[in-house]
Amino acid sequence: MLYTYSFANAKRDLADIMSTVIKDEPRFISNFRPGSDAVQRKHEWVEDQLSGRGFHAIAIDGNTVSVSASDAAKALPGMLITAKEDPALYRISAVSGNTLTVEFAAANGSAASGVADLPENTEFIIVSTPMTEGSANGDGDETFKCSQLEWNATQIFRKEIVISGSALAVTLNGSADNQLNRQTAFALSELARDLNRVALFGRRVEPAPGVHGEAGGLYFFGTRENSLSIDAGKTRLDSFSINDAAQKVLAEGGDPMQILCSPGQARVISNEYRDRIQILRSDDRRGAYVAVIVNEINGRGMTIMADPDVPDCDAWILDPQCFALSNLNGRAITDTDATPKGFDGIRRVAIGELTFEFRNVAQRCCRLTNLQPSAEAIASLRNA
C-alpha cells in the first residue's frame, strides 16, 4: 500500500451510522425502523393480525346477509352491529359459512325496521359483542386468526470510496483519515437515496444461481390485488380524497398517520390547510416533515411527507407501523480496505445486504392515483 491511514486494516461496522443517516434522511426511507435480522435471503415475517371493526355486505335477502369469508370470520352470534350512516342497531343471531342471520334490535331514531330495508353493499360497523355472565375461553372476539407469512428478498448494496494520491497530497483537505471519513459520509448519504428509491419502486426477485436478489418496494407490495386505492379522476388533491383514503385504512384496522406525496402536491394540500396547519418547529430539517394536519376521520394528526421521488400524480395514506428494514444476519453495512497493490491512492468498499418489511401493506397503505398534476393545481389556486 502506497498510502497509510489509522484504520487501514480495520473492518468498520457502519450499521449504526447508516441507521442515523436513514432516520434523518428527509424522504420515505426515514419511515423504516430497524427490524429483526434476516436469517436467509428470502426474508419472511408473520403479518400482524389486523381486523377492521366492520364488514361489507355482498347481498341482503330478508334477514340474511352474505359477506366475504374474511368478513365472516369477524362475526359472532350475539354481536351487535349498525349500518354506516344509520343509527339502527342489529344483532347477529347466527353465522353459517359466509351467511349471517341478522335480527332487528333497536331503531335508535331510525326509520328502518329491519335489515331487509337496507340496500345491498351496505357497510356494517361492529358495535360490540355482549358477553354472558361466566363466559368461557373462546366466547370473545378473536384478535388472532392465523399466521400469514409474507416475504421480501435481500439485495446487496455496494459503494466504492476512492481517494487519489493527488487528493491525499493536497493538505487543504486534511489528513487521510479525515478525507476517508468525509467520503464515507457522502457514500452513505448516496446509499440512503438509493435505498429510498428501492423502498419505493423496487421489485421482489428471489436470489438464485445467476439471479441477483432484488428487494420489493411500496409500489410492488401496495399495488397488488386487494390493495387499497382510490382513483382521483384527475381531480385536485384535497381533504376529501385524503379523508376517504384514511377511512379505508381505518376500516381495515390500520392507523393512518402520514400523507406521502411529491413536493408539488404537498404545496397543494398545504394551501387548503394553510389556516389549520401545524409546522413542526422542533425539526431542524425541512423537506420531508413539512407539517401536521388533523385527520378529520379520527381527529389525530397526519404528517405530510414531501418526497421528490414520489410520482407527482400519486399520493399515499400510510400507517408507518407497516415498515421495517432488516439486515441479513452478519451482513449489515460495513467498510473495509480494498486498495490494490500499487494503486495510486486509497480504495475502501462499503457493502451490505438488506431488505424491507411491509407488514399488512394491504391494510395499512392506500394509494391515491390519477391526481391532477400539482403544477396545474397550483396554477388554478393562484388564479382563483
Side-chain angles (χ1 to χ4, degrees), residues 210-254:
V211 178
H212 300 161
E214 297 180 36
L218 177 64
Y219 276 85
F220 175 85
F221 285 96
T223 60
R224 296 182 298 179
E225 188 178 0
N226 298 324
S227 296
L228 301 178
S229 66
I230 293 176
D231 188 335
K234 293 295 182 182
T235 59
R236 183 191 307 166
L237 178 63
D238 57 18
S239 58
F240 295 102
S241 55
I242 288 172
N243 286 307
D244 286 346
Q247 192 164 1
K248 281 180 172 284
V249 174
L250 276 171
E252 292 296 324

Side-chain angles (χ1 to χ4, degrees), residues 54-57 82-85 121-125:
F55 52 84
H56 178 79
T82 185
K84 187 178 177 182
E85 313 298 348
N121 301 320
T122 294
E123 292 285 345
F124 286 98
I125 299 170

Side-chain angles (χ1 to χ4, degrees), residues 6 16 24 30 60 67 115 122 136 151 155 181 213 220 232 249 267 314 345 357:
S6 64
D16 289 343
D24 291 338
S30 61
I60 297 177
V67 297
V115 71
T122 294
W151 66 277
Q155 181 170 335
N181 285 331
F220 175 85
V249 174
R267 292 179 62 192
D314 278 357
E357 291 183 3

Side-chain angles (χ1 to χ4, degrees), residues 62-318:
N63 66 339
T64 61
V65 178
S66 299
V67 297
S68 67
S70 59
D71 282 342
K74 305 174 187 177
L76 286 174
M79 178 177 284
L80 298 175
I81 60 175
T82 185
K84 187 178 177 182
E85 313 298 348
D86 190 283
L89 190 67
Y90 304 90
R91 180 180 180 272
I92 298 175
S93 57
V95 179
S96 177
N98 295 350
T99 301
L100 314 179
T101 303
V102 180
E103 61 186 30
F104 188 73
N108 289 340
S110 170
S113 59
V115 71
D117 296 338
L118 299 175
E120 293 191 359
N121 301 320
T122 294
E123 292 285 345
F124 286 98
I125 299 170
I126 297 173
V127 176
S128 67
T129 307
M131 291 288 106
T132 185
E133 184 176 352
S135 59
N137 290 341
D139 289 344
D141 295 340
E142 292 185 2
T143 59
F144 183 84
K145 299 296 182 185
C146 63
S147 297
Q148 182 178 353
L149 291 177
E150 185 56 275
W151 66 277
N152 204 354
T154 61
Q155 181 170 335
I156 299 172
F157 295 86
R158 182 186 182 106
K159 293 293 179 183
E160 309 279 346
I161 301 151
V162 183
I163 302 178
S164 69
S166 299
L168 288 167
V170 178
T171 57
L172 291 176
N173 292 330
S175 67
D177 285 21
N178 289 341
Q179 291 190 59
L180 283 169
N181 285 331
R182 181 176 176 83
Q183 294 304 315
T184 300
F186 289 148
L188 293 182
S189 179
E190 183 178 283
L191 176 57
R193 290 193 291 273
D194 291 351
L195 290 174
N196 188 71
R197 289 168 181 167
V198 175
L200 283 170
F201 309 118
R203 59 175 184 167
R204 184 177 68 181
V205 178
E206 185 176 0
V211 178
H212 300 161
E214 297 180 36
L218 177 64
Y219 276 85
F220 175 85
F221 285 96
T223 60
R224 296 182 298 179
E225 188 178 0
N226 298 324
S227 296
L228 301 178
S229 66
I230 293 176
D231 188 335
K234 293 295 182 182
T235 59
R236 183 191 307 166
L237 178 63
D238 57 18
S239 58
F240 295 102
S241 55
I242 288 172
N243 286 307
D244 286 346
Q247 192 164 1
K248 281 180 172 284
V249 174
L250 276 171
E252 292 296 324
D255 191 6
M257 297 290 290
Q258 187 179 105
I259 304 164
L260 176 68
C261 59
S262 69
Q265 296 293 356
R267 292 179 62 192
V268 173
I269 192 60
S270 296
N271 180 79
E272 178 179 348
Y273 283 94
R274 60 185 178 275
D275 57 339
R276 293 165 287 167
I277 207 161
Q278 303 171 30
I279 302 296
L280 300 183
R281 302 203 182 274
S282 61
D283 284 354
D284 58 359
R285 295 175 183 268
R286 298 300 304 277
Y289 297 101
V290 177
V292 169
I293 63 175
V294 174
N295 175 359
E296 297 170 10
I297 300 301
N298 61 5
R300 300 183 65 179
M302 295 180 68
T303 302
I304 302 173
M305 175 173 280
D307 188 329
D309 289 331
V310 175
D312 187 63
C313 291
D314 278 357
W316 290 82
I317 306 303
L318 307 174

Side-chain angles (χ1 to χ4, degrees), residues 362-373:
Q363 296 166 281
R364 285 176 161 152
C365 302
C366 182
R367 181 189 181 193
L368 283 165
T369 187
N370 200 21
L371 292 167
Q372 181 184 31

